[in-house]
Amino acid sequence: MWYIFILLYVVGVVVGVFSQLGSIETTLQVLEPITLTALVAYLLVPFAGFSNKEGWQKFSLQYAIVPLFGIYTVVIWRTGSVVGLLLLISASIVHLGYWMSSLHSRGYRLELFRMIPNKPAEVVEQVAKLCLDGRSDEADDIIKEFIRNL
């Protein structure tokens, strides 16, 4: 889904380029509390927790904030801050890495797995060993398959 991130980032850059710097800065100042709330909310939501009927909500949480990073890029570019641009790039990479991971979804499914009584000991041991070895993606595949076969 890299193309969606890139597309929405470019949308933000285009909007930033065609907007007056003063109006962008004022808007960003006014919306800063809402933006921070949205970013924090994003951190708390496992995407696997969304139902199939909540597609627009999942899409919105994953992608709606991305154009803002494009706008930030333009603002920082126009104000000439190389340090600011470097910080923006660093923060954007961290956010992108987090957004592209399925960390919360794996945790959500692991919690579901833990709630199931009388699991076969060999499955529990296999999942635990994989998680311990940093292979949580493989453990998650086993958990998904196990839950589907209930």
Side-chain angles (χ1 to χ4, degrees):
M1 294 287 189
W2 281 88
Y3 62 92
I4 294 175
F5 284 103
I6 292 170
L7 174 68
L8 292 173
Y9 176 80
V10 169
V11 166
V13 168
V14 169
V15 168
V17 165
F18 290 107
S19 300
Q20 294 179 352
L21 184 59
S23 69
I24 294 173
E25 290 173 334
T26 302
T27 303
L28 291 175
Q29 288 172 354
V30 170
L31 294 178
E32 185 176 27
I34 296 170
T35 304
L36 289 174
T37 302
L39 286 171
V40 169
Y42 173 84
L43 299 175
L44 302 175
V45 177
F47 293 127
F50 283 102
S51 77
N52 291 335
K53 296 177 183 177
E54 297 172 322
W56 76 267
Q57 293 97 328
K58 180 179 177 181
F59 182 87
S60 297
L61 266 172
Q62 279 184 294
Y63 301 111
I65 201 94
V66 175
L68 188 61
F69 286 94
I71 293 170
Y72 283 150
T73 302
V74 172
V75 170
I76 291 172
W77 187 266
R78 285 182 176 175
T79 57
S81 172
V82 175
V83 172
L85 193 58
L86 179 61
L87 290 173
L88 175 66
I89 291 168
S90 299
S92 298
I93 290 169
V94 168
H95 282 287
L96 183 63
Y98 188 81
W99 284 332
M100 297 296 289
S101 79
S102 55
L103 176 69
H104 289 294
S105 294
R106 284 193 305 270
Y108 175 80
R109 286 187 289 270
L110 183 60
E111 193 59 35
L112 289 175
F113 181 69
R114 291 177 58 194
M115 293 186 322
I116 298 170
N118 305 320
K119 295 177 285 293
E122 61 273 359
V123 174
V124 173
E125 289 172 12
Q126 186 179 17
V127 166
K129 286 178 184 175
L130 288 169
C131 288
L132 185 65
D133 289 341
R135 295 164 48 196
S136 61
D137 55 328
E138 293 175 49
D140 190 45
D141 290 340
I142 292 169
I143 290 169
K144 285 189 283 191
E145 190 63 29
F146 183 82
I147 292 173
R148 278 189 198 110
N149 291 325
L150 288 177

